[in-house]
mmCIF file of all heavy atoms in Angstrom:
data_model
loop_
_atom_site.group_PDB
_atom_site.id
_atom_site.type_symbol
_atom_site.label_atom_id
_atom_site.label_comp_id
_atom_site.label_asym_id
_atom_site.label_seq_id
_atom_site.Cartn_x
_atom_site.Cartn_y
_atom_site.Cartn_z
ATOM 1 N N GLY Y 1 11.627 -10.867 17.788
ATOM 2 C CA GLY Y 1 11.434 -11.224 16.428
ATOM 3 C C GLY Y 1 10.068 -11.184 16.021
ATOM 4 O O GLY Y 1 9.802 -10.814 14.905
ATOM 5 N N LYS Y 2 9.019 -11.650 16.772
ATOM 6 C CA LYS Y 2 7.601 -11.674 16.351
ATOM 7 C C LYS Y 2 7.069 -10.201 16.277
ATOM 8 O O LYS Y 2 6.314 -9.913 15.383
ATOM 9 C CB LYS Y 2 6.844 -12.562 17.198
ATOM 10 C CG LYS Y 2 7.048 -14.022 17.115
ATOM 11 C CD LYS Y 2 6.549 -14.487 15.719
ATOM 12 C CE LYS Y 2 6.510 -16.036 15.573
ATOM 13 N NZ LYS Y 2 6.030 -16.499 14.287
ATOM 14 N N LEU Y 3 7.379 -9.507 17.394
ATOM 15 C CA LEU Y 3 6.870 -8.173 17.379
ATOM 16 C C LEU Y 3 7.463 -7.266 16.210
ATOM 17 O O LEU Y 3 6.783 -6.344 15.616
ATOM 18 C CB LEU Y 3 7.214 -7.356 18.762
ATOM 19 C CG LEU Y 3 6.426 -8.093 19.890
ATOM 20 C CD1 LEU Y 3 6.904 -7.229 21.145
ATOM 21 C CD2 LEU Y 3 4.994 -8.027 19.740
ATOM 22 N N ALA Y 4 8.753 -7.564 15.798
ATOM 23 C CA ALA Y 4 9.358 -6.820 14.702
ATOM 24 C C ALA Y 4 8.733 -7.053 13.490
ATOM 25 O O ALA Y 4 9.090 -6.472 12.533
ATOM 26 C CB ALA Y 4 10.804 -7.139 14.706
ATOM 27 N N HIS Y 5 7.894 -8.139 13.401
ATOM 28 C CA HIS Y 5 7.159 -8.463 12.025
ATOM 29 C C HIS Y 5 6.424 -7.272 11.605
ATOM 30 O O HIS Y 5 6.272 -7.137 10.414
ATOM 31 C CB HIS Y 5 6.281 -9.525 12.222
ATOM 32 C CG HIS Y 5 6.852 -10.930 12.163
ATOM 33 N ND1 HIS Y 5 6.097 -12.144 12.201
ATOM 34 C CD2 HIS Y 5 8.049 -11.317 11.877
ATOM 35 C CE1 HIS Y 5 6.824 -13.220 12.075
ATOM 36 N NE2 HIS Y 5 8.048 -12.697 11.820
ATOM 37 N N LEU Y 6 5.825 -6.434 12.472
ATOM 38 C CA LEU Y 6 5.171 -5.236 12.054
ATOM 39 C C LEU Y 6 5.939 -4.333 11.232
ATOM 40 O O LEU Y 6 5.367 -3.491 10.484
ATOM 41 C CB LEU Y 6 4.512 -4.579 13.393
ATOM 42 C CG LEU Y 6 3.422 -5.425 13.957
ATOM 43 C CD1 LEU Y 6 2.911 -4.754 15.254
ATOM 44 C CD2 LEU Y 6 2.170 -5.557 13.132
ATOM 45 N N ASP Y 7 7.292 -4.065 11.443
ATOM 46 C CA ASP Y 7 8.083 -3.335 10.604
ATOM 47 C C ASP Y 7 8.080 -3.866 9.122
ATOM 48 O O ASP Y 7 7.870 -3.138 8.129
ATOM 49 C CB ASP Y 7 9.563 -3.222 11.039
ATOM 50 C CG ASP Y 7 9.784 -2.486 12.319
ATOM 51 O OD1 ASP Y 7 9.054 -1.525 12.386
ATOM 52 O OD2 ASP Y 7 10.540 -2.847 13.112
ATOM 53 N N GLY Y 8 8.099 -5.126 8.943
ATOM 54 C CA GLY Y 8 7.995 -5.826 7.635
ATOM 55 C C GLY Y 8 6.517 -5.644 7.113
ATOM 56 O O GLY Y 8 6.362 -5.426 5.914
ATOM 57 N N LEU Y 9 5.633 -5.610 8.003
ATOM 58 C CA LEU Y 9 4.190 -5.322 7.494
ATOM 59 C C LEU Y 9 4.112 -3.901 6.836
ATOM 60 O O LEU Y 9 3.526 -3.843 5.821
ATOM 61 C CB LEU Y 9 3.202 -5.287 8.630
ATOM 62 C CG LEU Y 9 1.830 -4.995 8.325
ATOM 63 C CD1 LEU Y 9 1.085 -6.182 7.629
ATOM 64 C CD2 LEU Y 9 1.018 -4.455 9.583
ATOM 65 N N ASN Y 10 4.751 -2.947 7.460
ATOM 66 C CA ASN Y 10 4.637 -1.613 6.722
ATOM 67 C C ASN Y 10 5.265 -1.629 5.480
ATOM 68 O O ASN Y 10 4.940 -0.926 4.498
ATOM 69 C CB ASN Y 10 5.336 -0.692 7.725
ATOM 70 C CG ASN Y 10 4.575 -0.453 9.087
ATOM 71 O OD1 ASN Y 10 3.371 -0.597 8.986
ATOM 72 N ND2 ASN Y 10 5.298 -0.034 10.129
ATOM 73 N N LEU Y 11 6.411 -2.356 5.361
ATOM 74 C CA LEU Y 11 6.984 -2.375 4.035
ATOM 75 C C LEU Y 11 6.239 -3.263 3.012
ATOM 76 O O LEU Y 11 6.099 -2.787 1.893
ATOM 77 C CB LEU Y 11 8.446 -3.077 4.149
ATOM 78 C CG LEU Y 11 9.543 -2.363 4.921
ATOM 79 C CD1 LEU Y 11 10.595 -3.304 5.291
ATOM 80 C CD2 LEU Y 11 9.908 -1.012 4.246
ATOM 81 N N SER Y 12 5.738 -4.261 3.363
ATOM 82 C CA SER Y 12 4.941 -5.034 2.364
ATOM 83 C C SER Y 12 3.598 -4.440 2.045
ATOM 84 O O SER Y 12 3.158 -4.478 1.022
ATOM 85 C CB SER Y 12 4.668 -6.590 3.001
ATOM 86 O OG SER Y 12 3.910 -6.490 4.096
ATOM 87 N N ARG Y 13 2.949 -3.745 2.991
ATOM 88 C CA ARG Y 13 1.769 -3.089 2.689
ATOM 89 C C ARG Y 13 2.115 -1.907 1.718
ATOM 90 O O ARG Y 13 1.347 -1.652 0.712
ATOM 91 C CB ARG Y 13 1.229 -2.363 3.944
ATOM 92 C CG ARG Y 13 0.335 -3.103 4.866
ATOM 93 C CD ARG Y 13 -0.307 -2.360 5.960
ATOM 94 N NE ARG Y 13 -1.226 -2.966 6.706
ATOM 95 C CZ ARG Y 13 -1.928 -2.361 7.718
ATOM 96 N NH1 ARG Y 13 -1.503 -1.226 8.111
ATOM 97 N NH2 ARG Y 13 -2.857 -3.036 8.300
ATOM 98 N N ALA Y 14 3.305 -1.249 1.848
ATOM 99 C CA ALA Y 14 3.622 -0.171 0.838
ATOM 100 C C ALA Y 14 3.689 -0.653 -0.379
ATOM 101 O O ALA Y 14 3.218 -0.081 -1.412
ATOM 102 C CB ALA Y 14 4.984 0.415 1.355
ATOM 103 N N TRP Y 15 4.370 -1.842 -0.661
ATOM 104 C CA TRP Y 15 4.545 -2.276 -2.134
ATOM 105 C C TRP Y 15 3.284 -2.933 -2.590
ATOM 106 O O TRP Y 15 2.825 -2.842 -3.735
ATOM 107 C CB TRP Y 15 5.615 -3.169 -2.303
ATOM 108 C CG TRP Y 15 5.471 -4.630 -1.853
ATOM 109 C CD1 TRP Y 15 4.510 -5.593 -2.368
ATOM 110 C CD2 TRP Y 15 6.216 -5.493 -0.977
ATOM 111 N NE1 TRP Y 15 4.798 -6.757 -1.819
ATOM 112 C CE2 TRP Y 15 5.785 -6.832 -1.007
ATOM 113 C CE3 TRP Y 15 7.460 -5.173 -0.155
ATOM 114 C CZ2 TRP Y 15 6.370 -7.816 -0.183
ATOM 115 C CZ3 TRP Y 15 7.951 -6.231 0.546
ATOM 116 C CH2 TRP Y 15 7.440 -7.552 0.516
ATOM 117 N N MET Y 16 2.395 -3.486 -1.654
ATOM 118 C CA MET Y 16 1.020 -3.983 -2.147
ATOM 119 C C MET Y 16 0.122 -2.875 -2.600
ATOM 120 O O MET Y 16 -0.604 -2.792 -3.484
ATOM 121 C CB MET Y 16 0.438 -4.854 -1.134
ATOM 122 C CG MET Y 16 1.152 -6.153 -0.895
ATOM 123 S SD MET Y 16 0.749 -6.926 0.648
ATOM 124 C CE MET Y 16 1.838 -8.412 0.580
ATOM 125 N N LEU Y 17 0.202 -1.770 -1.877
ATOM 126 C CA LEU Y 17 -0.607 -0.565 -2.161
ATOM 127 C C LEU Y 17 -0.093 0.085 -3.490
ATOM 128 O O LEU Y 17 -1.139 0.378 -4.260
ATOM 129 C CB LEU Y 17 -0.616 0.443 -0.959
ATOM 130 C CG LEU Y 17 -1.237 0.204 0.315
ATOM 131 C CD1 LEU Y 17 -0.653 1.055 1.370
ATOM 132 C CD2 LEU Y 17 -2.721 0.420 0.151
ATOM 133 N N GLU Y 18 1.137 0.086 -3.615
ATOM 134 C CA GLU Y 18 1.595 0.536 -5.020
ATOM 135 C C GLU Y 18 1.279 -0.350 -6.057
ATOM 136 O O GLU Y 18 0.956 0.036 -7.101
ATOM 137 C CB GLU Y 18 3.141 0.649 -4.928
ATOM 138 C CG GLU Y 18 3.584 1.865 -4.034
ATOM 139 C CD GLU Y 18 5.130 1.962 -3.851
ATOM 140 O OE1 GLU Y 18 5.753 1.221 -4.567
ATOM 141 O OE2 GLU Y 18 5.544 2.889 -3.236
ATOM 142 N N GLY Y 19 1.309 -1.733 -5.940
ATOM 143 C CA GLY Y 19 0.913 -2.698 -6.815
ATOM 144 C C GLY Y 19 -0.570 -2.537 -7.169
ATOM 145 O O GLY Y 19 -1.080 -2.566 -8.323
ATOM 146 N N ILE Y 20 -1.456 -2.355 -6.169
ATOM 147 C CA ILE Y 20 -2.805 -2.149 -6.416
ATOM 148 C C ILE Y 20 -3.152 -0.768 -7.201
ATOM 149 O O ILE Y 20 -3.988 -0.902 -8.146
ATOM 150 C CB ILE Y 20 -3.636 -2.066 -4.998
ATOM 151 C CG1 ILE Y 20 -3.531 -3.453 -4.326
ATOM 152 C CG2 ILE Y 20 -5.102 -1.642 -5.238
ATOM 153 C CD1 ILE Y 20 -3.908 -3.339 -2.906
ATOM 154 N N ALA Y 21 -2.457 0.156 -6.856
ATOM 155 C CA ALA Y 21 -2.625 1.422 -7.585
ATOM 156 C C ALA Y 21 -2.262 1.300 -9.035
ATOM 157 O O ALA Y 21 -2.804 1.890 -9.885
ATOM 158 C CB ALA Y 21 -1.769 2.403 -6.889
ATOM 159 N N SER Y 22 -1.185 0.530 -9.265
ATOM 160 C CA SER Y 22 -0.674 0.261 -10.598
ATOM 161 C C SER Y 22 -1.654 -0.238 -11.559
ATOM 162 O O SER Y 22 -1.552 -0.355 -12.811
ATOM 163 C CB SER Y 22 0.693 -0.465 -10.635
ATOM 164 O OG SER Y 22 0.347 -1.881 -10.466
ATOM 165 N N ALA Y 23 -2.652 -0.972 -10.934
ATOM 166 C CA ALA Y 23 -3.720 -1.770 -11.778
ATOM 167 C C ALA Y 23 -4.931 -1.057 -12.005
ATOM 168 O O ALA Y 23 -5.987 -1.511 -12.296
ATOM 169 C CB ALA Y 23 -4.001 -3.144 -11.189
ATOM 170 N N LEU Y 24 -4.978 0.315 -11.541
ATOM 171 C CA LEU Y 24 -6.145 1.171 -11.688
ATOM 172 C C LEU Y 24 -6.076 2.123 -12.858
ATOM 173 O O LEU Y 24 -4.921 2.613 -12.996
ATOM 174 C CB LEU Y 24 -6.539 1.857 -10.321
ATOM 175 C CG LEU Y 24 -6.865 0.864 -9.101
ATOM 176 C CD1 LEU Y 24 -6.975 1.728 -7.874
ATOM 177 C CD2 LEU Y 24 -8.202 0.099 -9.374
ATOM 178 N N PRO Y 25 -7.073 2.622 -13.365
ATOM 179 C CA PRO Y 25 -7.097 3.677 -14.368
ATOM 180 C C PRO Y 25 -6.555 4.963 -13.771
ATOM 181 O O PRO Y 25 -6.700 5.279 -12.541
ATOM 182 C CB PRO Y 25 -8.478 3.862 -14.849
ATOM 183 C CG PRO Y 25 -9.142 2.534 -14.396
ATOM 184 C CD PRO Y 25 -8.566 2.074 -13.132
ATOM 185 N N ALA Y 26 -5.912 5.856 -14.572
ATOM 186 C CA ALA Y 26 -5.284 6.936 -14.073
ATOM 187 C C ALA Y 26 -6.358 7.994 -13.391
ATOM 188 O O ALA Y 26 -5.964 8.847 -12.633
ATOM 189 C CB ALA Y 26 -4.660 7.775 -15.264
ATOM 190 N N ALA Y 27 -7.591 7.851 -13.819
ATOM 191 C CA ALA Y 27 -8.652 8.740 -13.189
ATOM 192 C C ALA Y 27 -9.336 8.175 -12.006
ATOM 193 O O ALA Y 27 -10.313 8.797 -11.548
ATOM 194 C CB ALA Y 27 -9.651 9.204 -14.324
ATOM 195 N N ASP Y 28 -8.930 7.039 -11.608
ATOM 196 C CA ASP Y 28 -9.525 6.376 -10.502
ATOM 197 C C ASP Y 28 -9.366 7.218 -9.190
ATOM 198 O O ASP Y 28 -8.261 7.678 -8.824
ATOM 199 C CB ASP Y 28 -8.990 5.022 -10.248
ATOM 200 C CG ASP Y 28 -9.883 4.144 -9.280
ATOM 201 O OD1 ASP Y 28 -10.025 4.482 -8.198
ATOM 202 O OD2 ASP Y 28 -10.445 3.165 -9.852
ATOM 203 N N ARG Y 29 -10.552 7.551 -8.498
ATOM 204 C CA ARG Y 29 -10.550 8.379 -7.377
ATOM 205 C C ARG Y 29 -9.859 7.817 -6.232
ATOM 206 O O ARG Y 29 -9.644 8.430 -5.236
ATOM 207 C CB ARG Y 29 -11.954 8.859 -7.138
ATOM 208 C CG ARG Y 29 -12.556 9.683 -8.131
ATOM 209 C CD ARG Y 29 -14.113 9.968 -7.906
ATOM 210 N NE ARG Y 29 -14.334 10.596 -6.748
ATOM 211 C CZ ARG Y 29 -15.422 10.669 -6.110
ATOM 212 N NH1 ARG Y 29 -16.515 10.162 -6.501
ATOM 213 N NH2 ARG Y 29 -15.622 11.321 -4.996
ATOM 214 N N ARG Y 30 -9.562 6.548 -6.220
ATOM 215 C CA ARG Y 30 -9.012 5.921 -4.953
ATOM 216 C C ARG Y 30 -7.390 6.087 -5.008
ATOM 217 O O ARG Y 30 -6.817 5.781 -4.060
ATOM 218 C CB ARG Y 30 -9.358 4.438 -4.907
ATOM 219 C CG ARG Y 30 -10.817 4.189 -4.587
ATOM 220 C CD ARG Y 30 -11.148 2.766 -4.941
ATOM 221 N NE ARG Y 30 -11.199 2.371 -6.385
ATOM 222 C CZ ARG Y 30 -11.751 1.390 -6.919
ATOM 223 N NH1 ARG Y 30 -12.133 0.396 -6.116
ATOM 224 N NH2 ARG Y 30 -11.726 1.060 -8.242
ATOM 225 N N LEU Y 31 -6.920 6.489 -6.150
ATOM 226 C CA LEU Y 31 -5.411 6.537 -6.223
ATOM 227 C C LEU Y 31 -4.729 7.554 -5.249
ATOM 228 O O LEU Y 31 -3.634 6.994 -4.694
ATOM 229 C CB LEU Y 31 -5.051 6.962 -7.615
ATOM 230 C CG LEU Y 31 -5.231 5.970 -8.849
ATOM 231 C CD1 LEU Y 31 -4.999 6.545 -10.013
ATOM 232 C CD2 LEU Y 31 -4.320 4.742 -8.555
ATOM 233 N N PRO Y 32 -5.262 8.700 -4.934
ATOM 234 C CA PRO Y 32 -4.606 9.470 -3.874
ATOM 235 C C PRO Y 32 -4.505 8.786 -2.421
ATOM 236 O O PRO Y 32 -3.536 8.855 -1.875
ATOM 237 C CB PRO Y 32 -5.505 10.714 -3.914
ATOM 238 C CG PRO Y 32 -6.100 10.737 -5.217
ATOM 239 C CD PRO Y 32 -6.371 9.366 -5.688
ATOM 240 N N ALA Y 33 -5.601 8.179 -2.207
ATOM 241 C CA ALA Y 33 -5.566 7.577 -0.925
ATOM 242 C C ALA Y 33 -4.650 6.257 -0.845
ATOM 243 O O ALA Y 33 -3.871 6.119 0.165
ATOM 244 C CB ALA Y 33 -7.104 6.963 -0.422
ATOM 245 N N LEU Y 34 -4.573 5.568 -1.977
ATOM 246 C CA LEU Y 34 -3.716 4.394 -1.911
ATOM 247 C C LEU Y 34 -2.260 4.933 -1.868
ATOM 248 O O LEU Y 34 -1.371 4.338 -1.237
ATOM 249 C CB LEU Y 34 -4.046 3.578 -3.308
ATOM 250 C CG LEU Y 34 -5.247 2.816 -3.380
ATOM 251 C CD1 LEU Y 34 -5.461 2.411 -4.756
ATOM 252 C CD2 LEU Y 34 -5.305 1.626 -2.304
ATOM 253 N N ARG Y 35 -1.958 5.951 -2.735
ATOM 254 C CA ARG Y 35 -0.576 6.272 -2.859
ATOM 255 C C ARG Y 35 -0.103 7.083 -1.554
ATOM 256 O O ARG Y 35 1.148 6.863 -1.114
ATOM 257 C CB ARG Y 35 -0.447 7.286 -4.055
ATOM 258 C CG ARG Y 35 -0.495 6.535 -5.446
ATOM 259 C CD ARG Y 35 -0.671 7.388 -6.442
ATOM 260 N NE ARG Y 35 -0.652 6.792 -7.771
ATOM 261 C CZ ARG Y 35 -0.955 7.259 -8.958
ATOM 262 N NH1 ARG Y 35 -1.441 8.376 -8.991
ATOM 263 N NH2 ARG Y 35 -1.029 6.455 -10.084
ATOM 264 N N THR Y 36 -0.983 7.694 -0.938
ATOM 265 C CA THR Y 36 -0.653 8.404 0.375
ATOM 266 C C THR Y 36 -0.402 7.370 1.462
ATOM 267 O O THR Y 36 0.599 7.467 2.203
ATOM 268 C CB THR Y 36 -1.708 9.398 0.793
ATOM 269 O OG1 THR Y 36 -1.865 10.369 -0.325
ATOM 270 C CG2 THR Y 36 -1.263 10.187 2.070
ATOM 271 N N ALA Y 37 -1.267 6.378 1.556
ATOM 272 C CA ALA Y 37 -1.016 5.326 2.485
ATOM 273 C C ALA Y 37 0.154 4.613 2.220
ATOM 274 O O ALA Y 37 0.950 4.110 3.110
ATOM 275 C CB ALA Y 37 -2.335 4.281 2.474
ATOM 276 N N ALA Y 38 0.458 4.346 0.953
ATOM 277 C CA ALA Y 38 1.780 3.618 0.547
ATOM 278 C C ALA Y 38 3.013 4.404 0.950
ATOM 279 O O ALA Y 38 3.839 3.850 1.532
ATOM 280 C CB ALA Y 38 1.807 3.395 -0.998
ATOM 281 N N ALA Y 39 2.894 5.732 0.841
ATOM 282 C CA ALA Y 39 4.060 6.510 1.136
ATOM 283 C C ALA Y 39 4.267 6.615 2.774
ATOM 284 O O ALA Y 39 5.423 6.422 3.157
ATOM 285 C CB ALA Y 39 3.872 7.957 0.682
#
């Protein structure tokens, strides 16, 4: 159960990366890296 937490980490990281990206301007140069890591 504790080791399986990391599967949840991947899911929560994905939505957090998407959330962070949603708060940046469309021209922000960090968006590709954020979205690729989220995917």
Side-chain angles (χ1 to χ4, degrees):
K2 286 292 189 179
L3 296 180
H5 275 182
L6 291 171
D7 286 328
L9 175 79
N10 291 334
L11 295 167
S12 63
R13 273 184 171 180
W15 83 58
M16 290 170 185
L17 289 161
E18 291 178 359
I20 294 164
S22 75
L24 295 175
D28 195 293
R29 292 172 61 197
R30 292 167 289 193
L31 287 175
L34 289 167
R35 289 170 175 160
T36 304

